[in-house]
Amino acid sequence: MIEAGKMDRPATIQTPTDSVSSLGEPILTFATYKLRFVSLNALSGGEAIAAMANESTVTHKIRLHYCDGLLPKMRMIIEGRTFEINSVIEIGRREMHEVSATEVLDE
Protein backbone atom coordinates (compact mmCIF):
# COMPACT_ATOMS: atom_id res chain seq x y z
CA MET A 1 0.00 0.00 0.00
CA ILE A 2 1.17 3.51 -0.73
CA GLU A 3 1.82 5.91 2.13
CA ALA A 4 -0.50 8.89 2.44
CA GLY A 5 2.51 11.25 2.27
CA LYS A 6 3.24 10.06 -1.27
CA MET A 7 -0.16 11.29 -2.46
CA ASP A 8 0.96 14.89 -2.47
CA ARG A 9 -0.40 16.24 -5.74
CA PRO A 10 -3.82 17.89 -5.88
CA ALA A 11 -6.00 16.52 -8.68
CA THR A 12 -9.33 17.54 -10.13
CA ILE A 13 -11.33 14.58 -11.41
CA GLN A 14 -13.60 15.64 -14.25
CA THR A 15 -16.54 13.88 -15.86
CA PRO A 16 -17.68 14.47 -19.44
CA THR A 17 -20.93 16.35 -19.95
CA ASP A 18 -22.90 17.09 -23.08
CA SER A 19 -23.47 20.73 -23.83
CA VAL A 20 -24.86 22.72 -26.72
CA SER A 21 -22.95 25.49 -28.50
CA SER A 22 -24.46 28.86 -29.32
CA LEU A 23 -25.19 27.43 -32.78
CA GLY A 24 -27.14 24.53 -31.27
CA GLU A 25 -24.43 21.95 -32.00
CA PRO A 26 -23.56 19.33 -29.37
CA ILE A 27 -20.13 19.80 -27.78
CA LEU A 28 -18.22 17.79 -25.18
CA THR A 29 -17.28 19.65 -22.02
CA PHE A 30 -16.04 18.51 -18.62
CA ALA A 31 -17.38 19.25 -15.15
CA THR A 32 -15.58 18.80 -11.83
CA TYR A 33 -16.56 15.48 -10.22
CA LYS A 34 -14.27 15.36 -7.16
CA LEU A 35 -11.04 16.78 -5.79
CA ARG A 36 -8.41 14.34 -4.47
CA PHE A 37 -4.72 14.12 -3.61
CA VAL A 38 -2.87 11.58 -5.77
CA SER A 39 0.54 10.12 -6.50
CA LEU A 40 1.65 10.47 -10.12
CA ASN A 41 4.28 8.18 -11.61
CA ALA A 42 5.54 8.07 -15.18
CA LEU A 43 5.92 4.52 -16.45
CA SER A 44 9.45 3.26 -16.99
CA GLY A 45 10.41 1.96 -20.43
CA GLY A 46 9.66 -1.68 -19.59
CA GLU A 47 6.37 -0.85 -17.89
CA ALA A 48 5.32 1.33 -20.81
CA ILE A 49 6.03 -1.46 -23.31
CA ALA A 50 4.06 -3.96 -21.19
CA ALA A 51 1.18 -1.50 -20.78
CA MET A 52 1.06 -0.80 -24.52
CA ALA A 53 0.33 -4.48 -25.12
CA ASN A 54 -3.06 -3.89 -23.47
CA GLU A 55 -3.64 -0.16 -23.80
CA SER A 56 -2.17 1.71 -26.72
CA THR A 57 -0.83 4.88 -25.07
CA VAL A 58 -0.62 4.54 -21.27
CA THR A 59 2.02 6.94 -19.96
CA HIS A 60 1.36 7.27 -16.22
CA LYS A 61 0.14 5.38 -13.18
CA ILE A 62 -1.93 7.40 -10.70
CA ARG A 63 -2.85 6.21 -7.21
CA LEU A 64 -5.45 7.70 -4.94
CA HIS A 65 -7.68 6.75 -2.04
CA TYR A 66 -10.84 4.97 -3.16
CA CYS A 67 -13.12 7.31 -5.12
CA ASP A 68 -16.68 6.07 -5.54
CA GLY A 69 -17.87 6.37 -9.14
CA LEU A 70 -14.43 6.79 -10.77
CA LEU A 71 -14.71 5.63 -14.41
CA PRO A 72 -12.41 5.30 -17.45
CA LYS A 73 -14.42 7.91 -19.37
CA MET A 74 -13.25 10.59 -16.91
CA ARG A 75 -10.05 12.61 -16.84
CA MET A 76 -7.80 14.20 -14.21
CA ILE A 77 -6.13 17.59 -14.11
CA ILE A 78 -2.92 17.40 -12.07
CA GLU A 79 -0.72 20.47 -11.70
CA GLY A 80 -2.15 21.93 -14.92
CA ARG A 81 -1.57 18.71 -16.90
CA THR A 82 -4.46 16.69 -18.35
CA PHE A 83 -4.61 12.88 -18.06
CA GLU A 84 -7.24 10.73 -19.77
CA ILE A 85 -8.15 7.70 -17.67
CA ASN A 86 -7.68 4.39 -19.50
CA SER A 87 -8.48 1.97 -16.67
CA VAL A 88 -9.39 1.98 -12.99
CA ILE A 89 -8.36 -0.88 -10.69
CA GLU A 90 -9.65 -1.18 -7.13
CA ILE A 91 -6.95 -2.14 -4.64
CA GLY A 92 -8.13 -3.80 -1.45
CA ARG A 93 -11.70 -3.42 -0.33
CA ARG A 94 -12.53 0.16 -1.23
CA GLU A 95 -9.12 1.30 -0.01
CA MET A 96 -7.32 2.60 -3.08
CA HIS A 97 -7.57 3.03 -6.84
CA GLU A 98 -4.77 2.55 -9.33
CA VAL A 99 -5.42 4.40 -12.56
CA SER A 100 -3.67 3.89 -15.90
CA ALA A 101 -3.72 7.18 -17.75
CA THR A 102 -2.48 8.92 -20.87
CA GLU A 103 -1.19 12.48 -20.69
CA VAL A 104 -2.84 14.76 -23.24
CA LEU A 105 -0.06 16.90 -24.69
CA ASP A 106 -1.97 18.99 -27.26
CA GLU A 107 -5.00 20.64 -25.80
Side-chain angles (χ1 to χ4, degrees), residues 11-17 29-35 75 77:
T12 301
I13 301 170
Q14 296 182 328
T15 187
T17 59
T29 59
F30 286 85
T32 298
Y33 178 67
K34 292 189 179 178
L35 304 174
R75 70 181 189 179
I77 309 297

Side-chain angles (χ1 to χ4, degrees), residues 19-52:
S19 297
V20 179
S21 72
S22 60
L23 300 174
E25 299 172 335
I27 56 172
L28 178 65
T29 59
F30 286 85
T32 298
Y33 178 67
K34 292 189 179 178
L35 304 174
R36 291 285 190 267
F37 280 91
V38 303
S39 71
L40 175 67
N41 297 302
L43 295 180
S44 67
E47 288 175 317
I49 290 169
M52 284 184 208

Side-chain angles (χ1 to χ4, degrees), residues 38-84:
V38 303
S39 71
L40 175 67
N41 297 302
L43 295 180
S44 67
E47 288 175 317
I49 290 169
M52 284 184 208
N54 296 325
E55 300 168 29
S56 59
T57 57
V58 172
T59 60
H60 289 76
K61 181 169 40 175
I62 302 168
R63 285 195 171 196
L64 64 153
H65 289 290
Y66 182 85
C67 180
D68 191 41
L70 185 63
L71 300 170
K73 67 180 181 178
M74 296 177 173
R75 70 181 189 179
M76 289 189 192
I77 309 297
I78 304 169
E79 298 176 337
R81 298 161 60 191
T82 302
F83 296 88
E84 293 180 349

